[in-house]
Amino acid sequence: MSRHRALFFDIDGTLVSFQIHSIPESTIHALELVKKNGINIFISTGRPIQIITNLKAIEHLIDGYITTNGAYCFAGKREICCTPILSIDVETLLKDATQKDYAVIVVGEKDIAVHNYKDIVDRLFRVGFNVTNIDYNLPVEKVLHQRILQLTPFIPQPIEDLLMPQLCNCESERWHPEFTDITVKGTDKGSALKAMASALNIDIKDTMAFGDGGNDISILQSAGIGVAMGNADDHVKSYADYVTTDVDHDGILNAFRHFNLI
């Protein structure tokens, strides 16, 4: 039996298929088997906890969550880390969005709002990712008094390149060509994995991370073993220790078998 006792999974494109908007049956079965073998299961996602709505089939198996690309992490009721964005950077980004007329999802610790709403938000999140619980009419002012964990501007790479030098305390984790996730500098899935492992007395050598997007690179590098999905692009795969098949072709199950986890 493998010694790896903590597995970290991205959601979209790793656990959840972009084709069927749910977790393939082979993945559910594989996760049930590793859980029976005493291996801990963690989520590692760019999604805020408020819109993690597609894991109901495996919620009972999950030991903890890395959310908003590492800005907020918890295990059970225990908060492991929370890294809010400074108000000056929030104000700068929202002002830029107003001036250049693009939308921004503003993620607070309790609520989510959309600044300067555009149809692209609905097209990508409701239609593309099956996220149906964002209230587009919620005033952004209701969220701004909370700790802001993540900002998601709907901008292409060239606009991001102009924006980021203005946000001195932030960094960008792009995993989609039409938007990026912005968090506090030094906050990513890799740093969150280290924080989780330290808090829960897990040896980094005993961790394995699975992902398919650009925001998974840091955790693929930080984990004891990094596994890229077959549907990841070549740049992401280059950072992995192993490349499995894609999410729709038993990628998780095949990786577990390769590493003798089941």
Side-chain angles (χ1 to χ4, degrees), residues 37 47 207:
N37 288 338
R47 289 192 183 220
T207 65

Side-chain angles (χ1 to χ4, degrees), residues 179 190 205:
F179 65 82
K205 296 193 300 291

Side-chain angles (χ1 to χ4, degrees), residues 15 23 27-28 31-32 41 43 54-62 65:
L15 287 179
I23 307 172
T27 298
I28 296 171
L31 292 170
E32 290 172 342
I41 295 172
I43 298 303
N54 49 2
L55 300 181
K56 295 190 184 303
I58 62 166
E59 281 180 349
H60 61 293
L61 304 174
I62 299 171
Y65 291 78

Side-chain angles (χ1 to χ4, degrees), residues 85-111:
I85 300 173
L86 295 179
S87 58
I88 187 172
D89 289 323
V90 176
E91 293 167 5
T92 297
L93 193 151
L94 297 186
K95 181 179 179 180
D96 189 75
T98 300
Q99 291 175 341
K100 294 189 173 74
D101 198 27
Y102 58 82
V104 181
I105 293 179
V106 181
V107 179
E109 59 185 312
K110 296 179 180 179
D111 299 296

Side-chain angles (χ1 to χ4, degrees), residues 129-171:
F129 303 135
N130 200 34
V131 174
T132 60
N133 63 337
I134 297 179
D135 182 359
Y136 300 145
N137 296 312
L138 182 70
V140 73
E141 289 76 19
K142 181 175 180 180
V143 180
L144 291 178
H145 72 275
Q146 303 173 18
R147 293 185 293 184
I148 303 302
L149 304 177
Q150 184 167 275
L151 298 165
T152 300
F154 289 76
I155 53 177
Q157 186 70 56
I159 301 298
E160 177 190 335
D161 293 341
L162 294 174
L163 171 66
M164 292 313 297
Q166 302 177 56
L167 308 178
C168 300
N169 307 293
C170 296
E171 64 183 30

Side-chain angles (χ1 to χ4, degrees), residues 6-214:
L7 309 179
F8 291 76
F9 298 92
D10 171 55
I11 296 178
D12 300 290
T14 298
L15 287 179
V16 174
S17 163
F18 287 119
Q19 304 300 318
I20 61 174
H21 299 301
S22 63
I23 307 172
E25 287 299 323
S26 68
T27 298
I28 296 171
H29 178 61
L31 292 170
E32 290 172 342
L33 290 177
V34 294
K35 191 68 173 182
K36 286 181 180 178
N37 288 338
I39 299 173
N40 293 325
I41 295 172
F42 296 88
I43 298 303
S44 171
T45 181
R47 289 192 183 220
I49 187 64
Q50 299 96 321
I51 61 171
I52 299 178
T53 58
N54 49 2
L55 300 181
K56 295 190 184 303
I58 62 166
E59 281 180 349
H60 61 293
L61 304 174
I62 299 171
D63 297 288
Y65 291 78
I66 293 171
T67 73
T68 49
N69 289 301
Y72 186 69
C73 311
F74 62 95
K77 295 183 179 181
R78 179 183 177 186
E79 180 179 294
I80 303 298
C81 57
C82 181
T83 313
I85 300 173
L86 295 179
S87 58
I88 187 172
D89 289 323
V90 176
E91 293 167 5
T92 297
L93 193 151
L94 297 186
K95 181 179 179 180
D96 189 75
T98 300
Q99 291 175 341
K100 294 189 173 74
D101 198 27
Y102 58 82
V104 181
I105 293 179
V106 181
V107 179
E109 59 185 312
K110 296 179 180 179
D111 299 296
I112 296 175
V114 180
H115 172 74
N116 197 30
Y117 173 82
K118 303 293 180 184
D119 288 343
I120 188 175
V121 180
D122 189 66
R123 173 170 62 83
L124 293 180
F125 274 69
R126 184 183 62 82
V127 180
F129 303 135
N130 200 34
V131 174
T132 60
N133 63 337
I134 297 179
D135 182 359
Y136 300 145
N137 296 312
L138 182 70
V140 73
E141 289 76 19
K142 181 175 180 180
V143 180
L144 291 178
H145 72 275
Q146 303 173 18
R147 293 185 293 184
I148 303 302
L149 304 177
Q150 184 167 275
L151 298 165
T152 300
F154 289 76
I155 53 177
Q157 186 70 56
I159 301 298
E160 177 190 335
D161 293 341
L162 294 174
L163 171 66
M164 292 313 297
Q166 302 177 56
L167 308 178
C168 300
N169 307 293
C170 296
E171 64 183 30
S172 174
E173 290 279 359
R174 179 176 290 273
W175 57 278
H176 192 281
E178 296 186 87
F179 65 82
T180 188
D181 291 330
I182 293 175
T183 54
V184 172
K185 192 173 291 185
T187 300
D188 55 32
K189 293 185 181 184
S191 64
L193 178 143
K194 294 173 184 176
M196 292 281 277
S198 176
L200 301 176
N201 296 314
I202 299 170
D203 194 318
I204 289 291
K205 296 193 300 291
D206 292 342
T207 65
M208 185 181 294
F210 298 75
D212 71 298

